[in-house]
Amino acid sequence: MKLHYCKTPLGNFGDDLNTWLWPTLLGDSFFNSDEDSLFLGVGTILNKKIPKEPEKIVLGTGTGYQRPPKVDGKFSIYSVRGPLTARALNIPPRKSIGDSAYLCLATNHFKKLFALQKKHKVSVIPHHQTATTIDWTIIEKVAGLHFIDPRKEFFNVFQDIAQSECVLTESLHGAILADALRTVWQPFRMGHRFNTFKWRDWLGSIHIELPAIQRYPILCSDQLSLPRRAKHLIERACGTTLRYDRLKQKPIRTNSAHELEEFANQLKKQARTKPCYLSKDITLQNILNGLTGCVEGIRAHYGNKRRSVA
């Protein structure tokens, strides 16, 4: 069985934790490079790009990028991220247990993080692609916020979240891991990579309804060449016509230093004035119980299957 997840060139802790979480829970021998079956865990990877022929074992995965796949006999769906994914795949609502990143709570390494003392009053976690477009050290300096780089090794990100009193996050898994660590969180959005669908999907699984997600202007500190600006202008026009938010928000100019400082102050104000969120303890426990039951079912079924084949 092969572990199937999104591999980003510069790293993204929410995707990269797959390489540790599933061997920890299912055993190193559970996975190999054999593509006769694929395991889909943490991530927004349920789409038409998934290979059709192999069996797909799905646990806590979401949809939201590209069109969802057509579920057939090749899918063994134990659970998905939330009710919107369940609806998109036309599977029973009871399958929408929650994001499988919550299963970090079932590991001893993660449990030790609760003993750490708080060091940061407010931390900010951008989307892993937004992290590359502006200088977040300026945001740290101007606003006094602790920058958590989502491209760092996932254990380091976990530790930073655990040592924060509050997290402002554009990263969905920044919010999910904060929720797991019982660190209150606030969402924000600025980059064109922000995916509203997957946020609503997850929020539905933890029974939280936000009035709105704080939205900021698109900032880009890169020097945009004329061809790149022209390309983004065309994409924005297409996005408006197609009602495709990710295209509508492509940056078309370089931000000024003043705009970056203004954004830093706006984030600081948000942390001070907007409500923080956290799922209820019972909700978190129910999600963890459901996901743990799925892991046990997979281990029993596929572990026995692998042993019989061997």
Side-chain angles (χ1 to χ4, degrees):
M1 185 178 298
K2 185 175 182 179
L3 183 60
H4 182 83
Y5 69 102
C6 180
K7 303 176 183 68
T8 54
L10 298 178
N12 175 31
F13 82 99
D15 295 316
D16 297 340
L17 68 84
N18 282 287
T19 61
W20 157 76
L21 180 61
W22 302 116
T24 299
L25 295 176
L26 296 170
D28 290 324
S29 61
F30 193 84
F31 299 100
N32 52 39
S33 59
D34 191 346
E35 297 193 12
D36 62 339
S37 55
L38 305 177
F39 184 91
L40 286 71
V42 182
T44 310
I45 51 178
L46 285 169
N47 55 51
K48 290 281 189 180
K49 293 183 178 181
I50 302 172
K52 291 183 179 181
E53 289 306 315
E55 179 185 12
K56 275 78 68 174
I57 296 90
V58 178
L59 175 51
T61 317
T63 189
Y65 295 119
Q66 296 95 37
R67 295 177 62 187
K70 182 179 179 180
V71 175
D72 55 22
K74 294 288 187 177
F75 282 84
S76 296
I77 300 180
Y78 282 79
S79 71
V80 293
R81 172 185 288 151
L84 298 188
T85 292
R87 191 181 309 158
L89 299 181
N90 196 27
I91 62 174
R94 61 182 173 79
K95 295 277 190 177
S96 59
I97 296 174
D99 194 286
S100 52
Y102 279 116
L103 278 166
C104 290
L105 285 164
T107 69
N108 290 329
H109 189 102
F110 197 81
K111 291 175 184 176
K112 293 177 181 178
L113 296 171
F114 288 94
L116 297 177
Q117 293 186 342
K118 301 294 185 182
K119 290 172 55 178
H120 315 294
K121 188 170 182 61
V122 181
S123 293
V124 58
I125 314 175
H127 186 277
H128 70 92
Q129 290 199 342
T130 310
T132 67
T133 60
I134 64 175
D135 187 348
W136 286 90
T137 59
I138 294 177
I139 306 299
E140 273 192 309
K141 184 177 179 180
V142 173
L145 305 176
H146 175 63
F147 169 51
I148 300 178
D149 191 336
R151 299 163 297 179
K152 289 198 306 185
E153 199 267 346
F154 48 85
F155 284 131
N156 291 332
V157 176
F158 295 168
Q159 183 173 312
D160 272 354
I161 293 174
Q163 293 182 306
S164 302
E165 294 180 17
C166 172
V167 167
L168 296 181
T169 179
E170 188 185 33
S171 160
L172 175 64
H173 281 98
I176 294 172
L177 272 300
D179 200 67
L181 288 163
R182 305 283 82 187
T183 296
V184 297
W185 47 269
Q186 295 181 11
F188 74 93
R189 61 177 299 185
M190 60 173 295
H192 68 278
R193 298 295 297 182
F194 189 92
N195 187 308
T196 303
F197 180 94
K198 68 180 187 180
W199 273 86
R200 289 175 51 229
D201 191 31
W202 169 61
L203 289 168
S205 75
I206 61 172
H207 313 301
I208 288 180
E209 185 174 349
L210 301 183
I213 293 179
Q214 185 70 43
R215 184 171 180 170
Y216 297 101
I218 304 302
L219 298 179
C220 178
S221 299
D222 295 339
Q223 294 296 323
L224 297 174
S225 65
L226 188 60
R228 189 177 173 194
R229 288 177 61 191
K231 177 175 179 290
H232 285 188
L233 280 168
I234 294 171
E235 288 174 332
R236 286 176 73 147
C238 292
T240 300
T241 302
L242 299 172
R243 297 182 180 179
Y244 190 29
D245 207 33
R246 283 175 59 196
L247 289 180
K248 286 193 297 183
Q249 299 180 73
K250 286 295 187 79
I252 56 174
R253 66 178 180 84
T254 303
N255 64 261
S256 67
H258 173 75
E259 286 175 314
L260 197 57
E261 291 180 4
E262 180 62 22
F263 170 57
N265 287 321
Q266 288 175 334
L267 279 179
K268 183 178 181 180
K269 181 180 179 181
Q270 175 183 336
R272 187 176 68 250
T273 61
K274 299 293 184 181
C276 296
Y277 297 91
L278 198 67
S279 67
K280 293 181 180 178
D281 290 345
I282 186 63
T283 299
L284 178 59
Q285 191 58 57
N286 287 340
I287 289 174
L288 185 58
N289 289 344
L291 292 173
T292 302
C294 291
V295 170
E296 292 172 353
I298 290 172
R299 186 187 294 120
H301 180 78
Y302 291 94
N304 290 336
K305 184 177 178 181
R306 288 167 67 83
R307 280 194 290 271
S308 64
V309 170

